[in-house]
Amino acid sequence: EVQLVESGGGLVQPGGSLRLSCAASGFTFSDHWMHWVRQVPGKGLLWVSRIHRDGSNTASADSVRGRFTISRDNAQNTLYLEMKNLRVEDTAVYFCAREGVRARERFFDLWGRGTLVTVSS
Amino acid sequence: DIVMTQSPESLAVSLGERATINCKSSQSLLFDSNDENYLAWYQQKPGHPPKLLIYWASTRESGVPDRFSGSGSGTDFTLTISSLQAEDVAVYYCQQYNSPPYTFGQGTKLEIK
């Protein structure tokens, strides 16, 4: 089955760290750019970060740059998001998402179900 | 950053009637590189992740019912559901995907009247 499954969310104190994982299956993971998108419960979608197929190129939203690091392990078919110096406003459901496989197909054609990160004292 | 603005914020439509959602971008999403509009539409039902409906502004994703259609070019886009079904109750988002940050509209909540 083609799917993405996130894990690693939970409750963390402000200033703390967390690492999210996204396990891919059913498709050739290394063929796709990958992304993290977050959503405060009941609110809209916010793009967080993206990574090239081979991990050589990354980009992040201003709100997380310098605190969050996206990476991937193509041998393990896994995407990661290392989050440091977490803030209350980082509380959200974090989704991983797959880009289309063809050049310029930067829309997100597959999403995981998300993992909830709660930053609170 | 490209700002995406959707209207209306919420919409109530009777079953079988047409639903129309608008999306406006602060910059043109039509690029010469491939003469396409870098605009996608997603559907999100409660408790579920977003689902891709439309890309390149008007191309329907495989498996999406043909009552869903996308139109528009440049800075103004529309998602139309030709005959609303009960299972279409959801929040709909537009997104520009030309370059990061890949910004989304604020969402339009679609309900049954």
Side-chain angles (χ1 to χ4, degrees), chain A residues 15-89:
Chain A
S17 300
L18 212 54
R19 188 175 85 155
L20 306 183
S21 300
C22 170
S25 59
F27 65 96
T28 305
F29 181 65
S30 58
D31 281 350
H32 296 264
W33 293 65
M34 296 294 297
H35 297 252
W36 288 99
V37 176
R38 71 185 184 187
Q39 184 174 40
V40 174
K43 302 298 184 183
L45 300 166
L46 181 71
W47 173 81
V48 173
S49 193
R50 73 145 195 219
I51 188 166
H52 185 274
R53 297 178 197 89
D54 65 10
S56 62
N57 182 299
T58 64
S60 296
D62 288 347
S63 57
V64 306
R65 193 173 301 130
R67 300 187 299 122
F68 291 13
T69 302
I70 188 171
S71 63
R72 65 192 296 163
D73 183 339
N74 286 344
Q76 297 296 319
N77 294 327
T78 304
L79 175 72
Y80 300 102
L81 186 68
E82 189 79 41
M83 303 185 294
K84 297 181 178 179
N85 192 19
L86 282 160
R87 305 167 180 167
V88 172
E89 55 266 34

Side-chain angles (χ1 to χ4, degrees), chain B residues 15-33:
Chain B
L15 290 173
E17 295 300 305
R18 178 184 299 263
T20 300
I21 298 170
N22 300 301
C23 175
K24 190 173 184 67
S25 60
S26 61
Q27 300 174 31
S28 176
L29 302 183
L30 178 62
F31 292 90
D32 295 338
S33 56

Side-chain angles (χ1 to χ4, degrees), chain B residues 4-110:
Chain B
M4 306 297 291
T5 305
Q6 289 182 230
S7 62
E9 291 192 0
S10 64
L11 181 62
V13 174
S14 301
L15 290 173
E17 295 300 305
R18 178 184 299 263
T20 300
I21 298 170
N22 300 301
C23 175
K24 190 173 184 67
S25 60
S26 61
Q27 300 174 31
S28 176
L29 302 183
L30 178 62
F31 292 90
D32 295 338
S33 56
N34 61 348
D35 199 28
E36 294 277 11
N37 287 278
Y38 285 64
L39 189 282
W41 289 97
Y42 300 88
Q43 175 194 64
Q44 186 177 30
K45 297 182 179 180
H48 291 267
K51 172 189 172 184
L52 178 67
L53 294 177
I54 302 282
Y55 56 92
W56 298 130
S58 60
T59 302
R60 203 177 302 114
E61 171 72 329
S62 176
V64 172
D66 60 8
R67 63 180 180 273
F68 291 91
S69 64
S71 62
S73 184
T75 61
D76 292 281
F77 302 91
T78 300
L79 174 69
T80 301
I81 306 172
S82 60
S83 176
L84 189 71
Q85 305 299 303
E87 61 265 31
D88 300 335
V89 169
V91 178
Y92 292 83
Y93 295 94
C94 62
Q95 180 213 20
Q96 68 82 17
Y97 56 89
N98 176 64
S99 61
Y102 299 105
T103 41
F104 293 86
Q106 77 276 26
T108 294
K109 186 175 184 179
L110 178 59

